[in-house]
Amino acid sequence: MNRHSETRQEAAWLVVVVLAVAAFSACDDGEGLASLPEARAAAASASKAARLEVETAVAQAEAIDRPVVATGATQPIRAANLGVSTMGTILSIEVAEGDHVEEGQLLVRLDAAMAKLQTDQARAAAAAVKIQADQLETETERLSKLAQAGAIAASKSEQLDAQRSAVLHQQEAAEAGVKLAGRFASNSAVRAPFAGQISKVFQEEGELATMMPPMPILRLVDLSRVEVRVPVNERDLVRLQRGDRVVAHIPSLGAELEGEVASVGIELHPLTRSAEVVTLFDNADGRLRAGMFAEVEIRPSASERAVVLPRSALAGSGDERFIYVVDHCRARRRPVATLDLDDERVELREGVREGDVVVVRGVSRIVDGASIGTGTGCAAAFAERAVERTEAVR
C-alpha cells in the first residue's frame, strides 16, 4: 500500500467518526446521515462535552520591584582588641566596661621602669660609641697629614680610617637603639585609636601584659553606626548596587531603621551561590547593640523582569508546587519554583516560559494529561481540522 492510499484510508476513518457523531445526534428525527455542516457542529459539541472547562491565561513577563529580604546581626562599624607592643606590668586600667572614650584618650598604663632603664642603657651605649668615633676622627686626620708628609706609611693611615668607618656604623646602630628604647617606653601607655565604647576588659591591674604571645587588654567598639552583613543569592545580587535603600526591622526593639547598601560582594560562595552584602545604619541614639538580630529588606533601584501568574494557578503544597500548561488541548503538569509577590500574585522563577498557556482557574478539577476545553476555541479548532482533512481527501 503506497503512501497516498494510507492517507486516504486514514481520512476515511476520520470521516466515519465525524459522520457517526452527526448521525447519532440526528437519529431521533429519523433523517439518517446529517449534512456536512451539521457533522461539523456535532463533532465540536461532542468534543467539547468530553473536555473540562477551565480558564487559562498566557504567561507574560513584567517588571517587578521585588525587595531582597535577608537576615543578619548588627555589628559595630569598627572594633579593635587593644594590647601592648612591649612587655610590662599593668599599673592601672583607666576605663571600665561600657565607658565612652574619645580618640587618643589614655586607657591603660604599664610599669615603665624597665622601659626607662632600657632607654637609659641605650643612650649610654650611644654616647660611648660617639666618644670613640670622635677620637678616631681626630687621630685619622693627624695620621693622614703625616702620611702625606712621608713621615709614616700610608697603610697605617688607611688602617685607622677603616676602624673609624666601623665605629661610625656602630654609632648609627646605637642611635637606632635609643630610638627603639624610646618607642618601647612610649608604648607603656595604651590609648584609644578611635572614639567608641569599651566592650570588654580582659585583664586586671597587676597582671603581666605581653607582646608575644599577644594578649589583648580590652576591646573597643564604635557603634555610632552599625553594619548588618547578609548573604544574597546570585540571582538577586545583580540587581543590587551601593546606595540602594534598606529597611531593617529589629524585633527586640520593635523598631524599623532606614539605611543603605554600603558594599556588594564580588565573590560568591561555591556551595550556596551567594555573596555578602553589607548594609549600614546610623545609631546616633545608641539604641542598637552589637549582635542584635535584624530582618533586612533591600529595595533595589533596578527592577527585574519575571513571569507573574495569579495564585489560583498553583497546585500542590510546600516545596512541591506545580501548574498546568495547555499543550495541544491537554493539561501538562509542570513543577515550578515560586516567590510570593502579594496575596494574589506569585512570581514563577522556574518551570514556565513567557508565552505558555497556563490554567489559572479550575486547577483542582484536572489531572496531568486531561483533555480540556479552555474557552479559547481549542475543541472547535480540533473538529474544524478533522472536517477540513475529510474534505481535502474527497
Side-chain angles (χ1 to χ4, degrees):
M1 183 181 293
N2 57 32
R3 183 175 179 182
H4 180 69
S5 299
E6 291 177 353
T7 303
R8 291 183 59 86
Q9 183 177 4
E10 182 182 0
W13 279 107
L14 192 57
V15 171
V16 170
V17 172
V18 173
L19 295 181
V21 172
F24 179 81
S25 63
C27 64
D28 289 342
D29 296 332
E31 296 180 359
L33 294 177
S35 63
L36 191 59
E38 291 172 338
R40 180 184 295 112
S45 177
S47 177
K48 181 178 180 181
R51 299 169 187 269
L52 294 171
E53 287 296 331
V54 295
E55 182 180 337
T56 62
V58 178
Q60 295 181 342
E62 60 182 72
I64 299 176
D65 295 324
R66 177 177 50 79
V68 177
V69 179
T71 59
T74 57
Q75 299 179 28
I77 188 67
R78 287 184 293 181
N81 291 332
L82 304 179
V84 295
S85 54
T86 186
M87 186 174 67
T89 302
I90 300 175
L91 286 182
S92 64
I93 298 177
E94 305 294 329
V95 292
E97 292 181 2
D99 286 354
H100 291 271
V101 299
E102 300 297 327
E103 182 178 352
Q105 181 176 331
L106 178 65
L107 306 178
V108 179
R109 193 188 304 275
L110 300 183
D111 182 2
M114 182 63 70
K116 186 176 183 303
L117 289 175
Q118 291 175 343
T119 301
D120 293 342
Q121 184 182 19
R123 286 174 178 169
V129 172
K130 186 177 185 305
I131 291 173
Q132 185 180 2
D134 291 343
Q135 290 176 345
L136 286 174
E137 180 74 21
T138 302
E139 186 67 11
T140 299
E141 290 179 359
R142 186 180 69 82
L143 293 181
S144 177
K145 293 178 181 179
L146 292 176
Q148 290 176 359
I152 61 172
S155 59
K156 188 172 183 179
S157 174
E158 293 172 354
Q159 183 180 6
L160 189 61
D161 186 61
Q163 292 178 1
R164 182 181 69 86
S165 297
V167 171
L168 288 176
H169 288 302
Q170 291 177 4
Q171 183 180 2
E172 292 176 359
E175 291 173 351
V178 172
K179 293 179 180 178
L180 182 61
R183 181 67 178 271
F184 283 149
S186 66
N187 288 339
S188 61
V190 179
R191 298 183 179 276
F194 52 83
Q197 196 170 2
I198 302 301
S199 172
K200 183 71 176 177
V201 177
F202 299 104
Q203 293 187 274
E204 301 290 340
E205 294 179 354
E207 290 186 328
L208 181 65
T210 61
M211 182 174 58
M212 290 301 295
M215 296 179 61
I217 300 175
L218 45 81
R219 179 173 174 80
L220 176 66
V221 298
D222 180 4
L223 288 171
S224 60
R225 293 184 295 171
V226 297
E227 295 177 343
V228 179
R229 296 172 176 264
V230 296
V232 176
N233 184 271
E234 63 177 314
R235 175 170 180 145
D236 292 323
L237 203 66
V238 297
R239 297 193 294 135
L240 304 184
Q241 60 185 3
R242 182 180 298 178
D244 282 349
R245 181 170 170 264
V246 182
V247 176
H249 175 61
I250 312 297
S252 59
L253 297 178
E256 282 192 352
L257 307 173
E258 289 196 8
E260 64 178 13
V261 173
S263 66
V264 179
I266 59 174
E267 287 188 287
L268 272 67
H269 191 283
L271 298 180
T272 63
R273 309 307 305 167
S274 62
E276 187 177 66
V277 174
V278 181
T279 59
L280 192 61
F281 303 88
D282 287 330
N283 187 34
D285 56 6
R287 288 192 302 165
L288 297 177
R289 300 172 182 270
M292 282 184 165
F293 179 77
E295 299 172 347
V296 174
E297 187 176 286
I298 306 175
R299 310 285 175 81
S301 55
S303 61
E304 67 172 336
R305 290 188 61 81
V307 174
V308 177
L309 288 174
R311 188 177 294 275
S312 59
L314 291 181
S317 61
D319 295 333
E320 298 182 356
R321 308 304 294 270
F322 59 90
I323 62 172
Y324 287 107
V325 175
V326 179
D327 183 16
H328 293 87
C329 299
R330 292 193 178 276
R332 301 301 181 187
R333 174 171 168 165
R334 284 191 191 172
V336 292
T338 65
L339 283 178
D340 293 339
L341 292 179
D342 50 45
D343 293 338
E344 298 181 354
R345 302 180 306 154
V346 292
E347 174 189 342
L348 278 295
R349 309 199 80 171
E350 294 178 6
V352 66
R353 298 183 299 272
E354 186 174 9
D356 284 346
V357 177
V358 181
V359 177
V360 296
R361 291 287 188 276
V363 173
S364 61
R365 302 199 304 269
I366 58 178
V367 295
D368 188 29
S371 179
I372 61 174
T374 64
T376 59
C378 178
F382 176 81
E384 183 71 24
R385 285 195 300 270
V387 173
E388 289 176 353
R389 190 171 181 182
T390 303
E391 291 176 339
V393 172
R394 288 182 177 177

